[in-house]
Amino acid sequence: TRPKKHRSFEPHRSGFTLSSNMGIDIEAGGRNKVKHRTAPKSENVYLRLLVKLYRFLARRTDSDFNKTVLKRLFMSKINRPPLSLSKLAKFMKDKGTGKIAAIVGTVTDDSRMFEVPALKVCALRFTETARARIVKAGGECMTFDQLALAAPTGDNVVLLRGPKSHREAVKHFGAPGVPGSHAKPYVRHKGRKFEKARGRRKSRGYKA
């Protein structure tokens, strides 16, 4: 008997067609769908202890306050901007008495503010002058573990945040020199000779 011929693979006969837009191989475990942090990047032991505490409170209480504080404890420093004393006093002005202001970040001093009201403030960190001025005015500086004992569910606590858009780097975002743009250019000096000619002054062609 003759040996059987092996038929060559013909895609059109088998019903299988090769396509240019076929799928891609995915690494084991699939695509990464988790886009938020589940723990802080910092190795700071005190921050880790706070995370442990608020993870417990978020799980064992129905309070959204604890969930929000836990989420903010995970955040990077850029997403935990500082809040000045003047803004803090402004935000707490119409909140009534007996409220505690909570900031997952730093409270800084504002030398433009002459009189500081008596405030009860909880924050991750206080600058030296900010702490001194709050205490001198008859207020109180608390840590988050003290807040957990005083208000385990966040009752009578006002959760505040600093402005994210006030960093120096944010001022440079965008295209400087484009009409209608207010992006700050990176210039060596602010003198007359440095990028102050055409496009920057009316007397030199046009001003963007």
Side-chain angles (χ1 to χ4, degrees):
T1 57
R2 277 197 220 164
K4 282 185 180 178
K5 260 189 180 179
H6 288 288
R7 187 185 289 172
S8 59
F9 178 68
E10 295 172 3
H12 64 277
R13 281 195 183 178
S14 63
F16 177 82
T17 54
L18 293 169
S19 172
S20 59
N21 58 353
M22 286 178 69
I24 53 164
D25 279 349
I26 300 171
E27 285 183 24
R31 287 191 180 87
N32 178 20
K33 291 185 179 69
V34 180
K35 297 292 178 191
H36 57 83
R37 288 185 180 184
T38 53
K41 292 261 183 183
S42 171
E43 294 295 324
N44 188 319
V45 287
Y46 300 108
L47 182 65
R48 293 270 171 171
L49 284 168
L50 281 183
V51 166
K52 215 170 189 179
L53 170 63
Y54 274 89
R55 218 189 273 278
F56 171 79
L57 287 172
R59 191 177 73 245
R60 295 298 296 271
T61 62
D62 294 329
S63 169
D64 286 335
F65 170 82
N66 290 326
K67 290 184 179 73
T68 308
V69 168
L70 178 66
K71 186 175 71 177
R72 290 186 189 178
L73 286 170
F74 297 158
M75 288 181 178
S76 62
K77 201 173 180 184
I78 282 174
N79 292 314
R80 288 187 285 106
L83 188 69
S84 69
L85 262 182
S86 57
K87 285 286 182 191
L88 180 61
K90 181 188 166 187
F91 292 145
M92 294 303 290
K93 193 177 181 181
D94 56 346
K95 292 290 188 285
T97 55
K99 299 274 185 182
I100 303 169
I103 300 102
V104 185
T106 306
V107 173
T108 56
D109 183 28
D110 193 342
S111 56
R112 298 166 298 181
M113 192 183 190
F114 299 118
E115 288 183 20
V116 178
L119 296 165
K120 211 170 184 182
V121 190
C122 170
L124 279 182
R125 188 173 155 268
F126 295 87
T127 61
E128 203 175 330
T129 45
R131 186 188 291 275
R133 290 186 75 184
I134 290 167
V135 172
K136 191 180 178 182
E140 190 184 341
C141 297
M142 300 171 73
T143 56
F144 272 96
D145 53 322
Q146 289 171 330
L147 181 71
L149 290 170
T153 56
D155 289 337
N156 290 324
V157 180
V158 181
L159 194 57
L160 299 172
R161 277 202 278 195
K164 272 181 72 175
S165 60
H166 290 200
R167 284 190 308 135
E168 175 62 26
V170 176
K171 293 176 185 177
H172 295 278
F173 290 173
V178 175
S181 169
H182 297 284
K184 189 176 179 181
Y186 286 105
V187 186
R188 281 179 297 161
H189 300 289
K190 208 174 161 65
R192 173 189 56 81
K193 298 191 288 184
F194 305 96
E195 297 186 27
K196 285 287 173 75
R198 184 174 164 79
R200 301 301 290 177
R201 282 190 285 176
K202 277 278 189 192
S203 60
R204 300 290 182 273
Y206 73 101
K207 186 180 188 308

